[in-house]
Amino acid sequence: MTSTNTLTIDAQPGPFSFDSAKTALVVIDMQRDFIEPGGFGESLGNDVSLLADIVPTVAALLAFARKHHWFVVHTRESHAPDLSDCPPAKRLRGAPNARIGDAGPMGRILIRGEPGNAIIEPLAPLAGELVIDKPGKGAFYATRLGEELAIRGVTHLVFAGVTTEVCVQTSMREANDRGYDSLLIEDATASYFPAFKKATLDMVRSQGGIVGWTAPFSSLIEIDGTTRAWK
Ligand code: TIU
């Protein structure tokens, strides 16, 4: 039987349909070290304003998800203080003077519990929302995310966060292989490299949506004006 909660929005490569009761918002790695001036990301020479620009849209998306009682997931790219979950290959590929676990401007770089590893204050998780510490780029690898989504019967994922071509794309590909339908909110994701963001959006929705769908946040909020099916 078709659920009365099934909604459809304009997206690419075509309409994206989802059931509000089976949808989760997944906000990837909006952590201080990647986004705030003076953090790890900026210390590597990146223009963090490209990432900071999406914060108001991600905040509005979080408010939308909370209003509509979606399950909300936040991820942090982070490692244990003893680096037991950080493969040497990952650590050694970092900048020689700023490797994972080294002292950075906001505490030890990408280490759980350090100030720089916290989610930025405007997007802070609320009680009841799931925070996933992930040692990889993908949100499913070596985490309990899959089990948490299965317990709640989630079938559709809405993605936001940073960076588009690295942790967001990897997580969407992992979700795709696990059978989720995924939507990436175009103006709620960013990269230090605008060309990589554009290429990733194109890739995700190519070949009939080989990884998923993309849409601007404005497509999502149009639903509020056209239906009362939200619960
Ligand atoms: N969260 C995430 O994407 N981690 C990265 O390391 N991204 C880069 O673009 N480097």
Side-chain angles (χ1 to χ4, degrees), residues 28-29 31 34 77 110 134 137 162-168 191-193:
I28 301 287
D29 297 359
Q31 55 207 62
F34 292 145
E77 185 174 353
L110 298 192
K134 62 182 186 57
K137 302 304 184 193
V162 299
T163 61
T164 316
E165 78 280 13
V166 183
C167 291
V168 175
S191 169
Y192 297 124
F193 307 97

Side-chain angles (χ1 to χ4, degrees), residues 10-214:
D10 286 338
Q12 292 191 61
F16 180 75
S17 294
F18 60 101
D19 180 337
S20 183
K22 296 179 183 171
T23 299
L25 173 63
V26 184
V27 182
I28 301 287
D29 297 359
M30 294 297 284
Q31 55 207 62
R32 295 183 64 202
D33 250 338
F34 292 145
I35 294 161
E36 288 188 6
F40 170 54
E42 192 176 65
S43 77
L44 296 178
N46 294 304
D47 177 2
V48 294
S49 72
L50 289 163
L51 272 53
D53 281 351
I54 67 166
V55 172
T57 307
V58 179
L61 177 60
L62 267 170
F64 183 90
R66 288 165 179 158
K67 176 179 160 193
H68 296 299
H69 306 293
W70 294 0
F71 182 48
V72 174
V73 181
H74 307 256
T75 69
R76 295 183 288 224
E77 185 174 353
S78 68
H79 294 276
D82 66 1
L83 297 177
S84 55
D85 58 1
C86 183
K90 182 177 183 185
R91 183 160 192 268
L92 293 174
R93 259 185 274 134
N97 58 341
R99 293 203 161 117
I100 294 168
D102 289 350
M106 294 181 179
R108 291 181 69 202
I109 294 165
L110 298 192
I111 298 297
R112 239 163 268 154
E114 297 287 335
N117 203 226
I119 292 170
I120 59 169
E121 196 276 331
L123 308 179
L126 298 184
E129 297 177 353
L130 180 66
V131 179
I132 292 282
D133 284 305
K134 62 182 186 57
K137 302 304 184 193
F140 289 85
Y141 170 70
T143 74
R144 65 183 200 283
L145 178 59
E147 288 81 356
E148 296 283 355
L149 297 175
I151 287 166
R152 293 166 177 84
V154 171
T155 57
H156 288 63
L157 301 176
V158 176
F159 279 91
V162 299
T163 61
T164 316
E165 78 280 13
V166 183
C167 291
V168 175
Q169 177 170 213
T170 302
S171 299
M172 283 190 76
R173 288 178 182 273
E174 286 183 328
N176 193 40
D177 284 347
R178 287 164 174 78
Y180 295 93
D181 283 334
S182 298
L183 172 72
L184 176 56
I185 303 299
E186 296 161 5
D187 41 352
T189 185
S191 169
Y192 297 124
F193 307 97
F196 287 174
K197 171 177 172 175
K198 183 185 178 309
T200 302
L201 296 178
D202 287 343
M203 267 182 239
V204 162
R205 61 200 177 205
S206 68
Q207 302 184 63
I210 194 148
V211 178
W213 287 255
T214 80

